[in-house]
Amino acid sequence: MSYVDEVIEQVVKQNPAEPEFHQAVKEVLESLRVVVDANEEKFRKDALLERLVNPERQFKFRVPWVDDKGQVQVNTGYRVQFNSAIGPYKGGLRLHPSVNLGIIKFLGFEQIFKNSLTGLPIGGGKGGSDFDPKGKSDREVMAFCQSFITELYRYIGADTDVPAGDIGTGAREIGYMYGQYKRIKGVYEGVLTGKGLSYGGSLARKEATGFGLLYITAEMLKSNGQDIAGKTVAVSGSGNVAIYATQKAQELGAKVVTVSDSTGWVYDPDGIDLEALKEIKEVKRARLTEYKNYRPNSEYHDGKGVWTVKVDIALPCATQNELDLEDAKALVANGVMAVCEGANMPTTLEATEYLQKSGVYFLPGKAANAGGVATSALEMSQNSERLSWSFEEVDSKLQGIMVNIFHNLDAAAKKYGFDGNYVVGANIAGFEKVVDAMTAQGIV
Ligand code: NDP
């Protein structure tokens, strides 16, 4: 049996009931086969893949808090510190009822390669809780965040592990967590990113993931002789990534015709009204059913469906496995040209293969959504030098990073004979730097 197959089998056996983690490991290791095969003897001797798929450490802890009725609630918190070969652990905190250890591990594993791809000195980590901020009062969210950090503070720090936002963790949650960390440690340091502008946050961090997604999408199209201007785009989700992806797509001259949330989706043939979307989601924290009040010409549909609309480009920006084989078939039948992942692993393995076989340009999340963590690393730099850069300065660095990521993964794909396979290219480009650092640092 090949080394890759052996390690995949071990991961499945040693981590039962963690299907998302198995999926992420399979996707990465399968595409690294060509590099691993070429170095099999050395990698085997160093147990390199075994070390790569086993987190350096992981924490699971109780998070008790009191709700508005005086009832004590108990959630579970997680932090997985996956790999620190190239820098302090870096990765978001997901607050969603679906969170479990397997999901955090899949996200942490992906984060290693994503962070490496940015070219910045950040290792891979991820955390979160099964707490659902939806429907909770501000006081309840604060009570949860304070309790969460009261346990987590001992494992994180500006030079060890720097968490950030993710699904369910926005500016409000980061603020409460930062306040509690500072209170306990008595240190004003850049321990979290995604902070508010008044206390060490970076301009353009909020926009970074969505903007970065469009920068790299535009670069990929350009290098394939296409222009993003004039293209029709389907976006899923209506959270942080989706909103700023929509904004940048519009600024680049494309027309976004869909957005969605966990209950339904909107089709607006005239193009999504960005101001209405921001008001509904960022100000009112309401459901997309409200969108029709702003745009009577639009349609609201319950359930899934964004991928049935005829578009040139699909940008899944909601959650994992939201675009399956049936969706991929519908997109291809409608002539889609590119699928670029704003979310983490939104496309199933079967759907990815189908899209690639059908000649669709496919950019994986670890490259396409790396703008968020890249800008988080820029926030860390600003905190370290106690300075704040202008929006334009951060945005232009972000643009440069995304363009670089595309050319690095494109070159890696070509070098190993997988021209145009950006999944293979991203995994190899991310992997090489981490392996180099792990090898140089010995058996740790
Ligand atoms: P948000 O919480 O701001 O938004 C998430 C969006 O996805 C919401 O519209 C939400 O709908 C929808 N959604 C969540 N879960 C589901 C589900 N199970 N089914 C259907 N829709 C769902 O999160 P972000 O925009 O920050 O993150 C979106 C994705 O991007 C995630 O995969 C995240 O890991 C990834 N990402 C985020 C980065 C960032 O900087 N924020 C950086 C890199 C990746 P509803 O409101 O109804 O729940």
Side-chain angles (χ1 to χ4, degrees), residues 152-194:
L152 189 66
Y153 85 94
R154 55 188 104 231
Y155 312 120
I156 60 177
D159 293 316
T160 49
D161 183 355
V162 185
D166 189 67
I167 291 181
T169 307
R172 174 182 59 172
E173 289 75 17
I174 292 288
Y176 292 147
M177 289 182 192
Y178 189 75
Q180 184 72 354
Y181 179 87
K182 183 166 59 68
R183 185 182 187 199
I184 296 173
K185 293 277 286 225
V187 181
Y188 209 106
E189 62 173 354
V191 64
L192 291 158
T193 57

Side-chain angles (χ1 to χ4, degrees), residues 21 37 53 120 125 141 153 166 237 263 273 291 311 327 371 376-377 429 432:
F21 181 50
D37 288 352
V53 298
L120 301 168
V141 171
Y153 85 94
D166 189 67
T263 38
D273 179 338
Y291 186 84
V311 289
D327 300 321
S376 276
E432 282 186 327

Side-chain angles (χ1 to χ4, degrees), residues 5-26:
D5 290 321
E6 251 175 53
V7 174
I8 291 176
E9 201 177 282
Q10 255 180 43
V11 164
V12 173
K13 203 163 134 210
Q14 290 173 353
N15 304 270
E18 294 180 0
E20 292 87 358
F21 181 50
H22 304 166
Q23 183 182 342
V25 169
K26 269 185 209 154

